[in-house]
């Protein structure tokens, strides 16, 4: 099955490369025909949301994002298995394998990690009949200023909203600047139980730097992701295509 | 007065240019002895085809099954003399791709995709496909296509220039002109385009005709020829989606089916070999590997059909029942999966994967004794398996003595 997965991934890559050429610029988050997703995915387990280490009060933010993801997926007719279920089974798997992460470096043993993930999914499928896993991660990377992300044709992007900097609201930075500053992205990927990427998308949430004179100045991490509407809109944006009428 | 579409000077210029274009695309077919291209453009095509061969192999997209390989080579060798190409080096390769396609590279590599082999019923149908692709190679259609495109570009350039100068009686669309100009393209793009969307209609028709003549001459039943395309059409309709490759393109398929039927009407249908058993033997393993890819892609209906075809031919295949169990497990049909895995270990008690799946299934249902037994069997058969450490932990947990201590 391992070779089958590799072949499947390559086939998808080739098909997508071809489709991308034909389809033009609109980003299509579906990595397999959406009919296949519609036919085969009914119950989705959430993996715990992964956050950058610098985020303060991560537990509350994680809970908020998971709650938003759950509501959005349910609105599309999916049954959702909470991330806590995944977490519990994952911990058992990790214990059976004598730990997945190196105690000193924190680096994952890839073979153990893959095995634990595969069997966690398997156990959730056997027990709760899940069909897919939703992997969600907040990442920090360069965010185009005043232009739309090349990965995602966003209707919403960071430059359009008020930012808080050191407790004071500031205006959005001037648009159409060629520079990039760091920003947070919400990355969402739906994997089937064979680890095949069915749907993936990322959308910008907000800047974590601002322009200061001719330079950039970092916003304090305590101010990151504190605007509920920003997070909520981004969750909607990433899952809109998955839950859209006709997708189910 | 009768409306004249083309101004007279332009018509004259086109009349002068077109024969020149046609003359340059006259390419003699390959013949018996080994062939290496002399012309630069054909050498480029061969080099790029070799690069494509290498890229596909490096990405592990070429399916390996020595028995199937020998079988495919044998079928091609039966067809070659009837295309005047006995002894011309040809290499048949199977692509690890579950979709329905076949293609010929200019250097003699014929690619047949796993999905197409899985969808066909017999050797006569295979000979139809290979005869068609072999005709493209022997007829050097890639070179002809390339030269035709180049000539189209030069003709188009001349037409545009003349139109710009005379500006007479023709609206002239710069967009259409730009599209025509792009037809010249790069050689590599030509190769890829031929693989993805087929050759021009005339060359496809020529390959259909030569291919069917070759399969008839080799003794195959020509009535099987249109069946290939009918099957492809059914599958494309069932998917409710355009298949990514040219065989799935409905208008072309319909045209092709009709063309084959017309050929049969004029040629006659006197019967011949079908070789269903030999074909099913040859693709037996491939069917299961194709089903595994389909399952990983979520194409469960395809996978089930392919597994059924395998089991219809090999009703005692442990591998077939194992794969059936995998399909049922993914559909959350635990009872069906258990029955299939049980059949697999019944036909082959050394089938490690079936023991493993049975053990995991029993474990999920709280049937601890059966789970422990099945998982222990698995560890005995596959002690170095990737997941052996985890399965050992399961077996440990399922030990009643340890459970009592806990």
């Amino acid at each position: 099955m391992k070779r089958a997965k590799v072949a499947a991934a390559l086939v998808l890559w080739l098909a997508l490369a071809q489709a991308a050429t034909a389809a033009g610029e609109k980003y299509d988050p579906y990595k397999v025909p959406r009919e296949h997703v519609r036919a085969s995915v009914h119950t989705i387990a959430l993996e715990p949301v992964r956050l950058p280490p610098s985020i303060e009060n991560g537990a509350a933010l994680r809970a908020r994002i998971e709650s938003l993801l759950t509501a959005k997926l349910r609105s599309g007719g999916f049954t959702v298995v909470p991330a806590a279920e995944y977490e519990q089974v994952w911990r058992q798997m990790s214990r059976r394998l004598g730990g997945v992460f190196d105690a000193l470096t924190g680096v994952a043993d890839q073979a153990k990690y893959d095995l634990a993930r595969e069997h966690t999914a398997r156990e959730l499928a056997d027990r709760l009949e899940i069909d897919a896993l939703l992997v969600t991660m907040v990442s920090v990377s360069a965010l185009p200023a005043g232009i739309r992300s090349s990965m995602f044709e966003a209707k919403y992007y960071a430059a359009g909203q008020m930012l808080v900097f050191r407790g004071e609201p500031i205006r959005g930075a001037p648009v159409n600047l060629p520079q990039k500053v760091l920003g947070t992205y919400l990355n969402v990927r739906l994997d089937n139980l064979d680890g095949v990427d069915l749907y993936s998308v990322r959308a910008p949430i907000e800047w974590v730097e601002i322009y200061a004179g001719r330079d950039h100045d970092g916003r304090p991490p305590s101010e990151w992701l504190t605007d509920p509407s920003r997070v909520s809109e981004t969750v909607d944006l990433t899952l809109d295509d998955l839950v859209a009428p006709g997708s189910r | 007065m009768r409306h004249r579409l083309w101004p007279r000077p332009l018509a004259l210029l086109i009349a002068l240019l077109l024969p020149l274009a046609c003359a340059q695309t006259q390419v003699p077919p390959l013949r018996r002895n080994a062939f290496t291209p002399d012309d630069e453009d054909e050498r480029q095509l061969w080099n790029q085809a070799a690069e494509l061969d290498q890229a596909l192999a490096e990405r592990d997209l070429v399916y390996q099954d020595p028995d199937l390989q020998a079988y495919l080579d044998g079928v091609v060798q039966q067809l070659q003399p009837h295309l005047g190409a006995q002894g011309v080096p040809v290499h048949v390769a199977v692509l690890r791709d579950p979709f329905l396609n076949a293609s010929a590279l200019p250097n003699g590599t014929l690619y047949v995709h796993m999905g197409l082999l899985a969808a066909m019923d017999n050797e006569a149908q295979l000979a139809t496909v290979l005869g068609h692709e072999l005709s493209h190679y022997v007829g050097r259609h890639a070179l002809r296509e390339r030269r035709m495109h180049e000539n189209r570009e030069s003709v188009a350039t001349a037409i545009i220039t003349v139109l710009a100068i005379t500006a007479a009686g023709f609206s002239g669309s710069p967009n259409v002109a730009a599209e025509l100009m792009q037809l010249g393209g790069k050689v590599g793009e030509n190769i890829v385009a031929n693989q993805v969307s087929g050759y021009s209609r005339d060359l496809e028709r020529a390959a259909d005709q030569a291919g069917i003549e070759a399969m008839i001459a080799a003794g195959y039943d020509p009535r099987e020829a249109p069946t290939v395309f009918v099957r492809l059409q059914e599958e494309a309709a069932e998917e409710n989606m355009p298949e990514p490759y040219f065989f799935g393109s409905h208008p072309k398929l319909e045209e092709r089916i009709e063309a084959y039927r017309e050929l049969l009407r004029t040629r006659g249908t006197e019967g011949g070999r079908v070789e269903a058993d030999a074909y099913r033997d040859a693709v037996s393993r491939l069917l299961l590997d194709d089903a595994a890819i389909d399952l990983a892609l979520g194409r469960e209906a395809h996978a089930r059909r392919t597994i059924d075809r395998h089991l219809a031919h090999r009703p005692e295949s442990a591998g077939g029942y194992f794969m059936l169990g995998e399909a049922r497990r993914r559909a959350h049909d635990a009872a069906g999966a258990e029955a299939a895995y049980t059949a697999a270990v019944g036909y082959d008690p050394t089938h490690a994967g079936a023991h493993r799946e049975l053990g995991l299934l029993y474990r999920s249902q709280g049937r601890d004794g059966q789970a422990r037994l099945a998982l222990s069997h698995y560890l005995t058969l596959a002690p170095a398996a990737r997941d052996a450490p985890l399965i050992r932990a399961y077996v440990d947990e399922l030990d009643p003595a340890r459970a009592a201590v806990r």
Side-chain angles (χ1 to χ4, degrees):
Chain A
M1 293 297 278
K2 181 88 174 169
R3 288 190 97 199
K5 275 192 266 181
V6 171
L10 286 165
V11 163
L12 285 174
W13 180 81
L14 284 172
L16 281 169
Q18 194 184 321
T21 310
E25 289 183 5
K26 175 85 171 76
Y27 177 72
D28 182 0
Y30 281 94
K31 306 303 174 195
V32 298
R34 69 176 63 203
E35 289 79 8
H36 291 160
V37 177
R38 188 188 304 165
S40 62
V41 179
H42 308 285
T43 301
I44 297 173
L46 303 185
E47 285 195 15
V49 175
R50 302 172 202 174
L51 297 174
S54 50
I55 292 284
E56 294 181 10
N57 196 12
L61 178 61
R62 190 175 287 119
R64 190 161 82 242
I65 294 175
E66 284 169 7
S67 161
L68 290 166
L69 293 167
T70 302
K72 186 75 176 175
L73 290 170
R74 284 186 180 149
S75 76
F78 293 103
T79 302
V80 181
V81 172
E85 290 279 356
Y86 184 97
E87 180 86 18
Q88 188 189 0
V89 178
W90 168 270
R91 285 185 188 285
Q92 289 168 353
M93 293 299 166
S94 175
R95 183 174 45 75
R96 288 179 181 119
L97 290 167
V100 168
F101 297 96
D102 187 290
L104 285 178
T105 64
V107 175
D109 178 323
Q110 195 60 44
K112 285 185 177 180
Y113 181 88
D114 291 345
L115 196 55
R117 190 162 186 268
E118 184 185 316
H119 276 256
T120 299
R122 171 65 187 264
E123 187 144 330
L124 291 173
D126 288 343
R127 200 153 50 78
L128 301 167
E129 299 198 344
I130 69 160
D131 305 300
L133 295 162
L134 192 75
V135 184
T136 309
M137 180 173 71
V138 175
S139 61
V140 179
S141 57
L143 189 66
I147 58 168
R148 292 176 172 187
S149 163
S150 59
M151 279 289 291
F152 190 92
E153 196 174 3
K155 292 172 285 186
Y156 163 81
Y157 56 99
Q161 280 197 346
M162 195 74 84
L163 282 173
V164 172
F165 183 57
R166 292 177 187 151
E168 295 295 322
I170 60 162
R171 293 187 179 281
V175 294
N176 299 324
L177 293 174
Q179 296 94 335
K180 289 182 175 182
V181 293
L182 288 181
T184 49
Y185 281 91
L186 186 67
N187 305 266
V188 164
R189 191 182 76 230
L190 188 70
D191 285 351
N192 75 8
L193 301 182
D194 286 299
V196 173
D197 178 358
L198 303 176
Y199 174 102
S200 54
V201 64
R202 72 172 189 163
I205 305 173
E206 64 181 8
W207 291 344
V208 296
E209 289 180 334
I210 63 160
Y211 287 101
R214 295 182 146 196
D215 208 346
H216 305 143
D217 202 351
R219 295 172 60 213
S222 60
E223 291 181 353
W224 294 10
L225 303 162
T226 50
D227 180 344
S229 67
R230 222 177 258 270
V231 175
S232 166
E233 282 185 51
T234 313
V235 167
D236 282 348
L237 200 57
T238 54
L239 294 181
D240 273 344
D241 278 320
L242 188 62
V243 304
S247 288
R248 299 281 302 135
Chain B
M1 194 179 90
R2 197 159 64 95
H3 174 72
R4 185 184 293 159
L5 183 61
W6 297 90
R8 193 182 298 272
L10 177 60
L12 279 172
L13 180 64
I14 293 169
L16 286 170
L17 284 169
L18 282 175
L20 182 65
C22 294
Q24 287 173 352
T25 53
Q26 295 299 317
V27 177
L30 300 181
R31 287 302 169 206
R32 290 165 189 269
N33 36 13
F35 174 81
T36 47
D38 293 326
D39 294 343
E40 180 57 27
D41 56 353
E42 193 166 21
R43 265 203 300 275
Q44 278 181 3
L45 279 173
W46 278 52
N47 289 339
Q48 290 185 341
E51 283 171 20
L52 185 57
D53 283 336
Q54 192 181 345
L56 292 169
E58 282 170 357
R59 286 164 177 77
D60 197 25
L61 277 173
V62 179
Y63 181 68
Q64 303 295 337
D65 178 343
D67 293 339
L68 176 61
Q69 186 67 56
Y71 174 76
L72 294 172
D73 289 342
V75 175
V76 165
Q77 282 160 15
Q78 289 181 60
L79 296 168
Q80 276 186 267
H82 308 293
L83 288 163
Q86 192 163 23
V88 170
V90 179
H91 173 61
V92 193
V94 178
L95 277 187
R96 295 167 63 81
D97 176 308
F99 295 100
L100 311 174
N101 200 13
S103 53
L105 296 192
N107 64 345
T109 305
L110 310 186
Y111 283 114
V112 189
H113 297 225
M114 284 174 84
L116 183 56
L117 287 170
M120 290 189 291
D121 300 310
N122 55 51
E123 193 172 304
Q125 292 175 9
L126 173 67
T128 305
V129 171
L130 291 178
H132 174 93
E133 297 305 333
L134 195 55
S135 303
H136 278 314
Y137 165 55
V138 172
R140 296 158 85 188
H141 287 178
L143 180 65
R144 291 174 63 176
E145 195 88 327
R146 186 193 175 191
R147 289 182 180 173
M148 266 193 283
H149 286 169
E150 282 179 346
N151 293 332
R152 273 182 225 164
E153 178 180 336
S154 57
V155 171
T157 308
I159 291 169
I160 293 158
T161 308
V162 172
L163 282 173
I165 293 168
T166 61
F170 190 70
S171 62
S173 160
N175 292 333
V176 171
E179 284 169 23
L180 280 171
M181 293 289 282
Q182 285 172 359
L183 282 175
K186 293 175 186 169
V187 177
E189 288 170 0
N190 282 349
I191 289 182
V192 172
N194 291 341
Q195 307 319 304
V196 171
S197 56
Y199 290 91
S200 66
R201 186 172 295 191
D202 286 346
L203 292 182
E204 291 293 353
R205 197 173 292 136
D208 278 346
Q209 182 140 9
I212 199 168
E213 293 293 347
M215 68 94 82
I216 292 170
Y220 292 107
D221 186 341
R223 289 170 298 186
E224 291 297 324
T227 310
V228 180
F229 298 96
V230 172
R231 176 66 48 78
L232 302 180
Q233 195 176 38
E234 286 168 357
E235 293 229 352
E238 196 176 302
E239 279 285 299
N240 194 26
M241 56 168 275
E243 293 270 336
Y245 301 117
F246 86 95
F247 268 134
S249 163
H250 293 243
K252 273 193 175 177
L253 270 177
E254 280 166 16
E255 255 181 50
R256 186 162 290 171
I257 291 165
E258 191 42 49
Y260 269 101
R261 287 186 175 141
E262 183 57 33
L263 272 172
L264 291 180
R265 275 195 287 274
T266 53
R267 185 69 177 67
T269 54
E270 59 269 22
R273 294 186 295 142
V274 170
E275 305 287 12
D277 282 343
Y279 182 78
R280 288 178 193 141
D281 279 341
V283 299
S284 178
R285 199 191 104 194
L286 174 138
L287 290 179
L288 295 183
D289 292 331
D290 184 62
I293 296 177
D294 275 336
L295 281 180
L297 287 174
R299 290 160 44 102
E300 287 174 13
H302 268 88
R304 286 295 295 270
R305 192 164 46 244
T306 306
I307 295 164
D308 288 346
R309 288 162 78 87
H310 172 90
L311 284 172
H313 183 60
R314 296 260 169 96
E316 297 186 353
S317 161
Y321 278 104
F322 173 73
M323 201 53 73
L324 181 61
E326 290 290 89
R328 287 174 175 171
R329 177 171 69 80
R330 281 166 172 77
H332 305 302
D333 173 9
E338 181 183 345
Y341 294 137
T342 304
V345 297
Y347 288 120
D348 179 7
T350 67
H351 197 294
H355 284 292
R356 170 187 183 271
E357 292 305 323
L358 270 177
L360 293 174
L361 195 144
Y362 293 145
R363 178 178 170 274
S364 73
Q365 295 173 338
R367 295 153 71 180
D368 291 359
Q370 288 169 288
R372 188 161 184 272
L373 193 63
L375 292 176
S376 298
H377 267 307
Y378 169 65
L379 288 173
T380 306
L381 292 165
R386 188 176 66 90
D387 60 355
L390 196 55
I391 301 296
R392 277 193 199 97
Y394 286 157
V395 170
D396 220 27
E397 289 170 15
L398 291 163
D399 183 342
R402 286 175 189 258
V405 171
R406 280 199 299 273

